[in-house]
C-alpha cells in the first residue's frame, strides 16, 4: 500500500510539472513567442515560426528564457564548442522536471557519452557498418516480402528495420524480438520529451519501456558471457567493459537510433517522392542512397532541435551568455540557411550534412545514417513503383523529431 501511495504522489507531482511547463508553452505561444509555438508541437511544418526566430537576429531570446538560433554560423559555433553541454555545471538539465528516468541514458552530459562511446568502441567501426548493412538488407527484404501492394512505411518498415537490425547485432534472442520492438515503440517520445512535455501516461510508459530494454539486455549479458561469436553487448563485456556500462551503451544506442532513423527514412522517401525524377534516379542506381540521406539531413533533418547549456560565460554572436544559459539550435532552419542557393542538379551533388556527435549521437550517429541508406536502397530495389497512398500523419508534441505516425504507401 505504501508503494502505491508513493507512486500516486510521484505521479501527481510529475503530472503537475508537465502540465505547468506545457501551459507555459501555450501561454507564451499565444503571446507570439515563436520558440514557444515550436515547442507546442502542433504543426507538421514549423518553418514559419523558425523564420520568425531568424528575423529576431542571430540569437533570439525566447520568453521561455531560452536563447534560440537559426543562424548557421551561430549554430556551428554552439554545437562545436566544448564549453556547451547538455547539463549545467551542477549536473542539471535546464528544465529538471523534463529529465527522463536514469534508465534511458538520455539525460547525460558530453563526458558521459564520450565514455560510453569508448565502452562501445571495440564493437564499432568498419566491421559494425558492414554487419548493419548486411542485416539491414536482409531485414528490409523480409519486411517487404509478402506485403502485397502497400504498407504503412512508418510502422511496417522504417521503424522495424533499425529495431530488428539492432536486436540481431546486439544479441537479443529471437524469441524476445516482439518485446524488444514493443519497448522501442513505447519509448518513442523520449527524445521529444527532453524539451516538450509529453502526457503523464506517455512519459511513464516511455520510462517503463526503457527500464524493460535495460532489463532485457541485462539478461543477455547474464546468459551469454562475452565472446567473439556473441552479440555486440556480450562482446563489449568480453573486451573488458563492465556489464552495466555495456548495457548502458546498448540502451543509449537503441533509444537514440531507432526513432531518428525512422524519421530520417520517412523524410527521405517524402522528399524523393516529391521529386519523382530523383526517385527514378535512385531506383536506377540504388548506390545513390547515401546521397539521398545527405540531402535529407540537410533539408529535413530527423532532429530539428539541439539543446545546449553554457558551462561557463561564453560570447556568442557578440552577446555575452553567462554560465547556465540555455541555447537551442533550430537545426533544420540553420542548415537550410547555409545550403547552396541552387539545388543540386541530381542527388549525386547533394552536399554533406551530419548529426552532431557530442551527445547520444556519439554512439548512434553512424548507425542512423547507415541504416537509412540501407533502407532506401532496399526500397529502391524492391519497390521502384513506390507512391503515396493516403495522407501522412505526424505525432503531435514532437518538435524535436517531427515523428511520423502514419505514412501509407503503395507499390507495384
Amino acid at each position: 500500500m505504501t508503494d502505491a501511495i508513493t507512486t500516486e504522489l510521484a505521479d501527481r507531482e510529475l503530472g503537475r510539472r508537465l502540465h505547468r511547463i506545457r501551459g507555459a508553452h501555450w501561454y507564451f505561444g499565444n503571446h507570439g513567442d515563436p520558440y514557444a509555438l515550436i515547442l507546442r508541437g502542433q504543426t507538421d511544418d514549423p518553418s514559419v515560426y523558425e523564420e520568425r526566430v531568424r528575423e529576431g537576429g542571430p540569437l533570439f531570446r525566447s520568453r521561455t528564457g531560452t536563447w534560440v538560433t537559426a543562424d548557421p554560423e551561430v549554430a556551428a559555433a554552439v554545437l562545436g564548442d566544448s564549453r556547451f553541454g547538455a547539463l549545467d555545471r551542477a549536473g542539471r538539465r535546464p528544465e529538471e522536471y523534463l529529465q527522463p528516468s536514469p534508465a534511458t541514458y538520455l539525460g547525460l552530459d558530453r563526458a558521459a557519452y564520450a565514455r560510453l562511446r569508448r565502452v562501445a568502441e571495440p564493437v564499432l567501426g568498419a566491421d559494425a557498418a558492414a554487419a548493419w548493412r548486411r542485416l539491414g538488407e536482409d531485414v528490409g527484404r523480409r519486411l517487404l516480402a509478402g506485403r502485397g501492394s502497400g504498407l504503412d512505411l512508418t510502422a511496417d518498415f522504417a521503424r522495424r528495420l533499425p529495431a530488428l537490425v539492432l536486436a540481431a547485432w546486439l544479441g537479443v534472442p529471437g524469441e524476445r524480438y516482439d518485446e524488444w520492438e514493443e519497448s522501442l515503440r513505447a519509448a518513442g517520445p523520449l527524445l521529444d520529451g527532453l524539451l516538450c512535455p509529453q502526457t503523464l501516461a506517455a512519459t511513464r510508459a516511455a520510462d517503463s519501456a526503457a527500464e524493460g530494454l535495460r532489463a532485457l539486455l541485462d539478461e543477455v549479458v547474464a546468459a551469454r558471457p562475452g565472446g567473439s561469436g556473441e552479440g555486440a553487448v556480450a562482446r563489449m563485456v568480453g573486451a573488458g567493459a563492465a556489464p552495466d556500462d555495456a548495457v548502458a551503451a546498448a540502451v543509449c544506442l537503441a533509444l537514440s537510433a531507432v526513432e531518428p532513423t525512422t524519421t530520417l527514412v520517412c523524410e527521405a522517401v517524402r522528399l524523393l517522392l516529391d521529386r519523382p525524377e530523383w526517385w527514378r534516379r535512385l531506383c536506377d542506381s540504388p548506390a545513390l542512397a547515401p546521397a539521398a540521406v545527405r540531402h535529407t539531413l540537410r533539408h529535413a533533418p530527423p532532429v530539428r532541435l539541439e539543446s545546449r547549456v553554457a558551462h561557463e560565460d561564453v560570447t556568442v554572436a557578440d552577446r555575452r551568455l553567462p554560465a547556465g544559459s540555455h541555447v537551442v539550435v533550430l537545426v533544420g532552419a540553420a542548415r537550410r540557411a547555409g545550403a547552396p542557393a541552387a539545388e543540386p542538379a541530381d542527388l549525386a551533388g547533394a552536399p554533406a550534412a551530419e548529426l552532431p556527435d557530442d551527445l547520444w549521437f556519439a554512439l548512434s550517429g553512424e548507425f542512423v545514417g547507415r541504416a537509412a541508406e540501407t533502407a532506401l536502397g532496399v526500397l529502391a530495389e524492391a519497390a521502384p513503383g513506390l507512391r503515396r497512398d493516403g495522407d501522412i500523419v505526424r505525432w503531435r508534441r514532437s518538435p524535436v523529431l517531427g515523428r511520423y505516425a502514419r505514412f501509407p504507401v503503395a507499390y507495384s
Side-chain angles (χ1 to χ4, degrees):
M1 178 65 72
T2 301
D3 288 345
I5 293 174
T6 301
T7 299
E8 182 180 355
L9 291 173
D11 280 351
R12 286 181 182 177
E13 177 60 20
L14 177 59
R16 280 194 294 267
R17 291 175 175 177
L18 294 170
H19 182 72
R20 185 160 58 243
I21 192 61
R22 183 70 173 164
H25 293 167
W26 277 88
Y27 176 82
F28 292 132
N30 286 344
H31 287 77
D33 188 292
Y35 177 60
L37 289 166
I38 290 171
L39 289 182
R40 283 183 180 183
Q42 296 297 299
T43 179
D44 291 350
D45 181 7
S47 59
V48 64
Y49 306 135
E50 293 172 343
E51 288 307 310
R52 286 171 55 188
V53 169
R54 192 192 312 282
E55 291 167 3
L59 268 178
F60 169 80
R61 183 65 184 271
S62 165
R63 294 182 66 185
T64 65
T66 294
W67 294 95
V68 191
T69 185
D71 183 277
E73 293 183 2
V74 175
V78 170
L79 296 178
D81 192 332
S82 62
R83 293 174 295 177
F84 287 93
L87 310 178
D88 64 21
R89 289 184 297 183
R92 296 186 300 265
R93 285 181 48 77
E95 297 169 344
E96 184 72 27
Y97 46 81
L98 293 183
Q99 176 130 359
S101 78
T104 69
Y105 302 106
L106 297 180
L108 310 178
D109 209 347
R110 184 192 302 265
Y113 292 114
R115 188 178 69 81
L116 290 180
R117 169 74 191 196
R118 291 193 295 272
V119 168
E121 199 67 46
V123 300
L124 299 177
D127 288 345
W132 296 336
R133 181 172 298 280
R134 184 172 61 253
L135 289 166
E137 290 173 348
D138 180 60
V139 168
R141 292 184 183 117
R142 285 192 285 111
L143 291 175
L144 294 176
R147 294 296 311 183
S149 59
L151 75 162
D152 178 354
L153 183 69
T154 303
D156 298 330
F157 184 80
R159 180 176 294 111
R160 297 200 69 197
L161 185 146
L164 291 172
V165 167
L166 282 175
W169 183 70
L170 291 171
V172 176
E175 66 272 16
R176 307 291 293 276
Y177 279 12
D178 288 347
E179 176 186 349
W180 171 261
E181 286 192 82
E182 176 55 28
S183 292
L184 285 169
R185 185 201 62 77
L190 281 171
L191 287 174
D192 283 298
L194 293 172
L195 287 175
C196 173
Q198 307 296 297
T199 66
L200 176 62
T203 300
R204 287 303 194 203
D207 283 349
S208 177
E211 294 277 5
L213 290 172
R214 184 173 66 174
L216 195 163
L217 290 170
D218 279 337
E219 293 180 31
V220 169
V221 171
R224 303 184 180 188
S228 60
E230 302 292 344
V233 181
R235 294 203 303 277
M236 283 186 249
V237 176
D244 286 349
D245 286 344
V247 169
V251 172
C252 181
L253 168 62
L255 291 178
S256 62
V258 171
E259 285 302 319
T261 303
T262 303
T263 300
L264 180 55
V265 171
C266 289
E267 292 281 30
V269 170
R270 179 183 64 82
L271 291 177
L272 290 169
L273 293 182
D274 285 346
R275 297 284 293 269
E277 70 277 13
W278 281 17
W279 175 252
R280 290 194 295 270
R281 181 83 187 277
L282 177 64
C283 293
D284 291 339
S285 180
L288 286 173
V293 169
R294 289 197 302 271
H295 177 79
T296 307
L297 284 170
R298 178 166 293 277
H299 293 276
V303 177
R304 299 172 173 181
L305 308 178
E306 283 283 352
S307 171
R308 298 292 186 273
V309 182
H311 286 176
E312 58 186 76
D313 294 352
V314 182
T315 298
V316 178
D318 296 325
R319 186 180 293 275
R320 190 71 170 173
L321 302 183
S325 296
H326 184 209
V327 182
V328 166
V329 173
L330 305 182
V331 180
R335 286 185 175 173
R336 289 192 299 272
E343 291 287 337
D346 54 50
L347 284 177
E354 297 178 350
L355 295 166
D357 62 358
D358 57 329
L359 300 181
W360 45 80
F361 287 127
L363 284 118
S364 60
E366 184 173 4
F367 176 88
V368 171
R370 298 277 187 173
E373 292 169 9
T374 303
L376 290 183
V378 170
L379 283 170
E381 289 180 344
L386 194 73
R387 61 190 183 278
R388 293 191 191 185
D389 192 33
D391 293 334
I392 292 173
V393 179
R394 293 184 191 254
W395 289 103
R396 293 302 177 237
R397 302 196 193 210
S398 184
V400 175
L401 298 182
R403 297 170 60 221
Y404 281 73
R406 184 171 180 269
F407 191 157
V409 294
Y411 55 91
S412 55

